[in-house]
Amino acid sequence: MSRPVYFEPEESMAYHGGEDVMHALMSIAGRYIGANPPHPPVYRVSRPGLVRKCDDHRYVFPLVELFPNMQRGQQLYAWAKLWSDSDQEFVFHITCFGPARLYHNGVLIYGSAPEEEYPEMPVLKLKCGLVKGWNHFVLEFKLGEKGGGGQFGTGSRKNKPLHFIVPTFERDGEEGWLYTEPLDAPLSEIPSGPMREKDTGVNWLPREEDPEKASSHGQLARMYGLTSGLSAYAWTKISGTKCGVETVLISGEAYSPIEFSVEGKVVFHQEQAGCFRFELPLSAAVQDLTVKCTCGDRDWGFRMDQTTQELLTPALDVKGHRGNWLYLGPFQAEQEIDLASCQKMKRTVRSGTGEDVYWRTEVPDGEVRPFLENEWFGRWNYPLGVTLYGLLQLGKAGQRSNIRDYVLSHIEFASSRFSYSLWDRERYGAAGLNNQLSQIDSLDDCGSFGATMLLADQERKLDGVSETAAHIADYILNEQARLEDGTLYRKIGVSRSMDNTMWCDDLYMSIPFLCRYAEWSGDDKLLDEAARQVLLYKKYLYIPERQIMSHVFDVERGEPTRTPWGRGNGWVLFSISELLTALPQEHPSYTVLIQFYRELCEGYLALQGRNGLWHQVLSDPESYEETSCTSMFIYAYARGVRKGWLLDPKPYAQAAYQGWKGLSERSIDKRGNVYGVCRGSSYSFTNHYYKHELGWNLNDTHGIGIVLLAGLETISMQEWQTNKPVFAAERVGTREKLEKSSF
């Protein structure tokens, strides 16, 4: 290969950034953060019910439970919309419990065959051409021999599961689906775009009722019933800029005892039902206005006069909610509630009936839910664990508090909402955020991000870390499947083809967390477990004649695949370097572990490519130059040189320099884009899959963070060599050889 694979030399970071490694790292970080701004969650109205998400994030439509008296020959329709940022081919998953049809933007794209119409049918994958913007989906269900209804959705719990939105003008922004009652005749026209519900000619469920007309009682009586001794809160906002005066008149009618507070300070109290009227001093800033109501003998709640109502603005931007007020309750009248904490929207609170509750609207069953709709910020998954690790270390090394704070905000977004996400999953079938953390069933779901979370918690105490970390530790130590000898493995994989396998990737999904949790908790037994796992994985996956690792061990076959996938091997050396950093030299396993590290380093050194990069298939120089494994080897080599782990550090220092030179010339462009990072993998017993089917992505989060870490370790090694006399002369020779390089 005489020229870069991914871009022209003039587009490279080396061409524009020269030898300044920190400049390259800051360019990568700036591009990533700029592309992923820290947007808050999107809040939407949701309605719990029988049409809800399942564990795999598909929606279930249980016809027999919804309508036990539905007759053969009738049909039911469900309607929702889905946003797409671009025109794209997308795969949906469907299971039919009976006859079913699927329409996309009014066009029939699927009709079930009789052999597909039963609940035990394996998931069917349907490819659909989404258009940029809103895409409308309509499902038509009938009763069949074995039932009716089905499950439909994106079926992507491990990556970025999507949620559907109510499509009509009346309820625009709500999460979920509308559905009809059983109809004797088909719809005259399949909805293909936004419409008013009445214009479709049928009624849609759940019913949209005017809450003020639904009952003669106040809103809190309608929502929570009449139980003497209960209380509840209402929350809105008020701003002096809306009226241009220093004081305003607040007036209306209370149906029970009532208390008003502004920014947590009580400004008015009334012990009986009746009209209220008081003046409120205002500032120009928007302020929280809260109302505490206590249930009376006959009613509770309140009504604001029109002039007061016009001063109010919604407490929160909740899609699908057209009012100004949100409600929280019910509580025991004397129960102490930290309302300011509740208004941060991060947690549920225990109600007076012993259940955890969250904010809601006064629309029947209209509850508020946060959804993570960002591309990456706030998301929890294992590639982001490494991405944020790299960004955090860069922020500290480069004295860039903005990068550090970005990472801490991302991590705390997830950790602070951990307990909420467990509740959200229980109530609605699948969580609207923290989808993997709230449903851990593999090391991928917890270890990598959890390890970075513990590192971040050393910078400042982050909300929710203690309970999240304890949950992860319990999963790894007590729930993750193990072989009889204690080796962690995947009894249940992401797909059935991955069941009963052991992946070298899982060393990184467990070892760094165990090391950091040992330090965080003070329990050194976790270091013992980390060391044990590395040696057990060596037993199953090591290829001694090449001194490298097989990607996967197939437990059912009882043999390794012997496929030398680049990133899988990178995970191993990366993990061992993390363990050796944490493990005391007097530990019983230290000697054998450092010997294993040296053997692997020697094996990988022999496979470094001519351009300084390692290849997707390590032993095949015709496979593409892969960025993430290259970065992991650079990181582990540079750290080993600096830590004194290598008996002869010279060739490894040179390999690390050549590796960074190759990255800056061939994998990082002048804009900070990172090329050549292999996408998430399955596995195979042949190299063909890794070489020809497992391609690379631009700016894949599997690679961004480890590129940053590799650069930082290269800088640290440079500084260490410069300051260590034995290396000073050799350092000059190295620089002469690489005088036009980009490190």
Side-chain angles (χ1 to χ4, degrees):
M1 297 181 183
S2 60
R3 56 183 295 275
V5 175
Y6 303 115
F7 44 76
E8 296 297 329
E10 292 77 11
E11 292 290 307
S12 72
M13 180 59 70
Y15 192 88
H16 292 270
E19 297 184 2
D20 191 342
V21 180
M22 185 60 76
H23 172 75
L25 302 184
M26 289 298 178
S27 298
I28 295 169
R31 189 219 60 80
Y32 176 84
I33 293 174
N36 298 283
H39 296 312
V42 175
Y43 294 92
R44 298 187 181 277
V45 173
S46 282
R47 307 192 194 210
L50 291 174
V51 176
R52 68 201 301 259
K53 279 191 172 184
C54 300
D55 281 350
D56 66 357
H57 284 256
R58 291 187 299 157
Y59 291 83
V60 61
F61 303 88
L63 255 61
V64 176
E65 293 180 62
L66 283 167
F67 301 105
N69 297 321
M70 184 173 177
Q71 302 296 310
R72 296 287 290 271
Q74 292 183 313
Q75 48 266 305
L76 176 148
Y77 294 88
W79 177 24
K81 64 181 180 180
L82 185 69
W83 177 267
S84 177
D85 286 329
S86 62
D87 294 341
Q88 60 172 312
E89 290 289 311
F90 198 87
V91 176
F92 293 89
H93 294 185
I94 189 170
T95 300
C96 304
F97 303 164
R101 291 182 177 182
L102 175 64
Y103 297 84
H104 172 235
N105 291 339
V107 177
L108 179 66
I109 62 171
Y110 169 75
S112 62
E115 62 270 18
E116 298 169 343
E117 297 169 359
Y118 60 95
E120 293 77 22
M121 177 70 189
V123 172
L124 296 172
K125 297 182 179 181
L126 307 176
K127 185 176 289 188
C128 176
L130 297 179
V131 299
K132 183 178 181 179
W134 288 112
N135 293 259
H136 286 251
F137 289 87
V138 175
L139 287 158
E140 178 188 274
F141 295 117
K142 295 183 178 181
L143 287 177
E145 293 292 336
K146 298 186 178 181
Q151 290 176 251
F152 174 74
T154 56
S156 183
R157 184 184 75 79
K158 291 290 184 179
N159 297 311
K160 290 179 287 186
L162 303 178
H163 46 273
F164 285 80
I165 305 301
V166 172
T168 60
F169 288 121
E170 294 92 332
R171 312 189 216 189
D172 187 40
E174 277 193 38
E175 180 267 342
W177 291 72
L178 298 181
Y179 54 95
T180 68
E181 295 177 325
L183 304 175
D184 293 327
L187 286 178
S188 58
E189 180 181 356
I190 299 295
S192 59
M195 300 174 65
R196 296 193 179 279
E197 294 174 29
K198 65 179 182 180
D199 294 338
T200 64
V202 295
N203 294 320
W204 294 90
L205 303 174
R207 297 193 187 281
E208 178 74 344
E209 297 176 345
D210 184 339
E212 294 185 359
K213 296 179 180 179
S215 170
S216 59
H217 288 294
Q219 71 272 53
L220 296 176
R222 296 194 298 269
M223 287 188 282
Y224 302 125
L226 285 170
T227 301
S228 181
L230 292 183
S231 65
Y233 293 88
W235 173 32
T236 188
K237 291 181 181 289
I238 188 168
S239 173
T241 59
K242 297 192 70 171
C243 56
V245 295
E246 294 182 356
T247 61
V248 293
L249 183 66
I250 304 296
S251 62
E253 182 181 4
Y255 309 131
S256 60
I258 195 167
E259 181 178 272
F260 286 81
S261 298
V262 173
E263 296 296 311
K265 182 179 180 181
V266 176
V267 295
F268 178 80
H269 181 83
Q270 182 170 293
E271 281 292 345
Q272 67 283 334
C275 294
F276 57 82
R277 184 184 180 89
F278 64 96
E279 286 190 341
L280 179 66
L282 290 182
S283 69
V286 176
Q287 297 175 296
D288 288 316
L289 174 65
T290 56
V291 179
K292 180 181 180 181
C293 297
T294 304
C295 184
D297 295 334
R298 300 179 181 178
D299 204 354
W300 60 321
F302 60 92
R303 174 190 59 80
M304 307 295 278
D305 288 340
Q306 184 61 35
T307 54
T308 300
Q309 191 69 23
E310 291 173 357
L311 303 175
L312 306 180
T313 190
L316 192 70
D317 180 14
V318 179
K319 312 299 183 187
H321 176 46
R322 298 184 297 278
N324 291 325
W325 296 88
L326 298 180
Y327 302 89
L328 186 66
F331 305 105
Q332 297 298 329
E334 302 304 319
Q335 187 175 346
E336 292 290 332
I337 301 297
D338 184 353
L339 198 59
S341 177
C342 294
Q343 289 168 333
K344 294 178 181 178
M345 308 298 291
K346 294 180 179 179
R347 282 181 166 81
T348 60
V349 62
R350 183 59 55 91
S351 74
T353 59
E355 298 176 334
D356 287 347
V357 295
Y358 197 66
W359 294 93
R360 57 160 299 172
T361 72
E362 62 185 274
V363 172
D365 298 322
E367 302 182 353
V368 177
R369 290 179 69 195
F371 289 90
L372 185 59
E373 299 185 4
N374 294 340
E375 178 70 11
W376 293 124
F377 181 82
R379 201 168 295 280
W380 175 294
N381 62 36
Y382 79 82
L384 283 171
V386 187
T387 300
L388 297 176
Y389 182 14
L391 286 169
L392 180 61
Q393 300 300 77
L394 176 63
K396 293 193 292 183
Q399 297 182 330
R400 291 284 297 273
S401 60
N402 62 321
I403 297 176
R404 168 187 171 274
D405 291 344
Y406 175 88
V407 173
L408 298 183
S409 295
H410 180 139
I411 293 172
E412 192 167 37
F413 180 99
S415 65
S416 64
R417 293 166 173 83
F418 169 61
S419 62
Y420 168 81
S421 63
L422 295 179
W423 176 85
D424 190 61
R425 179 195 169 202
E426 178 68 23
R427 183 157 181 81
Y428 300 101
L433 40 72
N434 281 351
N435 58 292
Q436 288 181 253
L437 177 60
S438 64
Q439 191 183 348
I440 298 174
D441 65 6
S442 70
L443 295 170
D444 277 1
D445 290 342
C446 58
S448 169
F449 199 107
T452 301
M453 177 187 71
L454 291 176
L455 193 65
D457 194 58
Q458 296 176 4
E459 297 298 304
R460 65 171 170 84
K461 289 300 178 183
L462 303 180
D463 187 11
V465 166
S466 295
E467 55 189 330
T468 306
H471 185 74
I472 293 170
D474 180 68
Y475 177 81
I476 294 176
L477 296 173
N478 301 315
E479 294 188 36
Q480 175 65 34
R482 294 171 182 260
L483 299 179
E484 289 186 3
D485 61 5
T487 310
L488 297 166
Y489 85 112
R490 306 183 182 193
K491 183 176 182 179
I492 305 296
V494 176
S495 64
R496 289 186 178 181
S497 64
M498 299 182 189
D499 289 354
N500 295 307
T501 54
M502 180 192 309
W503 297 45
C504 58
D505 314 41
D506 283 342
L507 283 182
Y508 190 78
M509 309 309 150
S510 56
I511 301 305
F513 178 84
L514 292 172
C515 292
R516 290 182 193 150
Y517 195 72
E519 179 184 5
W520 191 82
S521 66
D523 186 355
D524 290 340
K525 292 181 180 178
L526 284 93
L527 285 178
D528 298 339
E529 176 64 9
R532 183 168 77 109
Q533 288 301 321
V534 171
L535 298 176
L536 285 169
Y537 270 61
K538 178 185 179 183
K539 168 185 169 183
Y540 289 99
L541 293 167
Y542 188 48
I543 306 174
E545 65 272 20
R546 303 212 66 161
Q547 295 179 231
I548 60 177
M549 299 287 277
S550 172
H551 181 206
V552 169
F553 183 88
D554 189 308
V555 175
E556 286 191 0
R557 292 194 189 191
E559 60 178 316
T561 59
R562 298 185 65 81
T563 47
W565 180 42
R567 186 158 69 232
N569 278 266
W571 288 128
V572 173
L573 201 62
F574 187 11
S575 302
I576 295 174
S577 71
E578 297 289 275
L579 175 58
L580 289 174
T581 301
L583 200 66
Q585 292 190 19
E586 59 271 16
H587 191 278
S589 298
Y590 184 87
T591 300
V592 67
L593 284 169
I594 202 165
Q595 179 58 34
F596 184 35
Y597 163 82
R598 291 167 181 165
E599 290 174 11
L600 289 171
C601 285
E602 185 177 350
Y604 300 137
L605 185 65
L607 297 172
Q608 187 174 22
R610 58 184 294 183
N611 297 310
L613 307 178
W614 280 263
H615 290 268
Q616 164 75 343
V617 177
L618 290 176
S619 58
D620 185 353
E622 296 303 315
S623 62
Y624 63 86
E625 293 173 326
E626 205 283 321
T627 298
S628 64
C629 73
T630 295
S631 300
M632 292 184 196
F633 296 145
I634 294 171
Y635 178 86
Y637 282 2
R639 179 175 272 193
V641 169
R642 185 167 58 85
K643 295 281 190 180
W645 296 337
L646 296 156
L647 298 177
D648 180 9
K650 300 173 189 176
Y652 298 101
Q654 181 69 13
Y657 286 132
Q658 292 288 356
W660 183 260
K661 179 176 184 291
L663 288 179
S664 60
E665 288 182 344
R666 304 172 71 83
S667 296
I668 308 168
D669 75 10
K670 63 182 181 181
R671 297 176 182 84
N673 292 300
V674 176
Y675 292 73
V677 178
C678 177
R679 59 182 171 82
S681 77
S682 181
Y683 80 99
S684 175
F685 275 83
T686 67
N687 291 346
H688 182 277
Y689 164 73
Y690 299 89
K691 180 177 180 179
H692 297 290
E693 299 178 41
L694 192 55
W696 61 273
N697 289 333
L698 178 65
N699 294 320
D700 194 297
T701 50
H702 287 86
I704 292 171
I706 189 57
V707 169
L708 298 178
L709 291 169
L712 289 171
E713 277 295 344
T714 300
I715 292 172
S716 295
M717 182 178 68
Q718 289 174 337
E719 295 173 347
W720 181 83
Q721 287 185 317
T722 300
N723 296 325
K724 191 172 178 63
V726 71
F727 280 96
E730 295 163 2
R731 175 106 176 99
V732 174
T734 299
R735 290 181 65 87
E736 288 175 351
K737 292 178 184 179
L738 303 174
E739 59 183 356
K740 294 185 179 180
S741 77
S742 63
F743 69 88

